Amino acid sequence: MNFRATARPLAFSRAPGSRQSGGGLFLASINNLAGKEIFELVRSDLQKVEEEFCLQSVTSVEPISEIAQYLQGSGGKRLRPALVLLSSKMCGYQEYPAIRLGAVVELIHTATLVHDDIIDGADTRRGRPSANYRWGNHMSVLAGDWLYMQAFQLALRVRSFPILDLLITLTQMMVEGELLQLERIGRIGVTEAGYMELIDRKTARLFSACARPGAPSRGGSETAGPGWGSRPGSGRSRTGARSPAPLAASSSGRPTCRTGAASRP
């Protein structure tokens, strides 16, 4: 789905003698922007994240490449990479690590969707047959595992121990959240606190992590940004709210992955 919002010009001017940081200026500039306009601030970088995702979906093992590229071509709003890019811009943007980390979080998110569909026995995902419906549970669970490992391999290239620690802790909590959910299915005594714990582990923590890589990648605090990252994650999980899609399907400009001379959806 394409949208044609035009971002308002960003006013980065400041009064003489002002010592406001570049990150502070960027944060001030987005305070009054609508969701679509915020996506416009990182649209070109999101396209580069998508290209990196395409590149990382290719391997010498044909079944894995086929499943990974099918999942990448299924679309999505790319909210999590957008958060990574926005947080990086606030902390002194460097393109190379930011693009890679955007692809990392989308790979992790995609892996969780594959495993969720297997556990739930889902036959569709984003309007298309789910991976487990097309390839079966055995191949799909291994493809999901491969996506996790590919994400961590890509994260290693950023050479940041705080970011690796963040991603490992995040993945553990997401798996624990899925196990807790399975353990509580069918129970009528689940409390609101228990429900919110599941939301926090399965959804909000990933959003929070996406808001935090910018600081440690620039030498700042690795705990920067968890509040404004986790709140939209919790709200999204509770309401299933729709958000503007920054990137559309391949027919609307999504880059096409290529393995040698063969092009894939």
Side-chain angles (χ1 to χ4, degrees):
M1 180 187 304
N2 286 324
F3 58 85
R4 299 181 179 177
T6 302
R8 290 193 289 269
L10 301 184
F12 286 147
S13 59
R14 50 185 163 184
S18 170
R19 295 185 179 181
Q20 189 176 15
S21 67
L25 286 169
F26 181 80
L27 180 60
S29 73
I30 68 173
N31 279 341
N32 297 316
L33 295 182
K36 291 181 180 180
E37 293 174 310
I38 291 174
F39 272 122
E40 287 290 343
L41 298 177
V42 293
R43 174 179 283 279
S44 62
D45 285 337
L46 279 171
Q47 189 68 22
K48 294 175 184 176
V49 169
E50 202 67 17
E51 292 166 0
E52 185 69 28
F53 191 178
C54 271
L55 181 64
Q56 299 303 323
S57 298
V58 176
T59 178
S60 60
V61 181
E62 183 65 23
I64 293 178
S65 289
E66 186 177 2
I67 296 173
Q69 293 176 10
Y70 176 80
L71 294 167
Q72 185 272 334
S74 296
K77 298 177 179 66
R78 305 304 192 242
L79 293 173
R80 294 154 190 85
L83 262 179
V84 171
L85 294 169
L86 288 167
S87 73
S88 296
K89 284 181 181 292
M90 285 192 295
C91 297
Y93 175 71
Q94 284 186 329
E95 179 177 327
Y96 182 72
I99 298 302
R100 283 197 160 172
L101 288 172
V104 165
V105 298
E106 194 61 28
L107 283 164
I108 291 175
H109 174 56
T110 303
T112 67
L113 297 183
V114 173
H115 287 169
D116 282 352
D117 286 345
I118 293 169
I119 292 169
D120 298 339
D123 56 9
T124 60
R125 167 67 63 179
R126 294 171 175 164
R128 303 173 72 185
S130 61
N132 53 296
Y133 183 82
R134 273 193 71 168
W135 287 278
N137 288 344
H138 292 94
M139 289 186 67
S140 296
V141 73
L142 291 173
D145 292 344
W146 183 87
L147 288 168
Y148 273 122
M149 294 305 101
Q150 189 74 347
F152 285 114
Q153 185 181 69
L154 184 59
L156 274 172
R157 299 175 196 170
V158 179
R159 299 291 189 263
S160 170
F161 283 116
I163 287 176
L164 283 174
D165 183 54
L166 175 68
L167 293 173
I168 291 169
T169 302
L170 161 71
T171 304
Q172 288 177 322
M173 294 201 70
M174 292 171 71
V175 172
E176 291 168 358
E178 189 62 48
L179 288 170
L180 285 173
Q181 177 175 277
L182 289 172
E183 190 263 338
R184 295 173 185 177
I185 286 177
R187 295 191 179 186
I188 61 174
V190 177
T191 64
E192 181 180 354
Y195 173 65
M196 294 302 296
E197 180 187 14
L198 292 178
I199 288 176
D200 179 64
R201 288 177 180 271
K202 290 195 61 181
T203 304
R205 287 301 177 102
L206 179 53
F207 274 88
S208 176
C210 291
R212 295 165 68 182
S217 67
R218 291 287 293 164
S221 168
E222 64 257 38
T223 58
W228 72 274
S230 60
R231 290 175 184 174
S234 296
R236 179 171 174 76
S237 184
R238 279 180 285 178
T239 65
R242 293 186 177 91
S243 299
L247 291 172
S250 56
S251 61
S252 312
R254 180 178 294 281
T256 301
C257 297
R258 295 186 179 274
T259 308
S263 138
R264 299 182 182 279

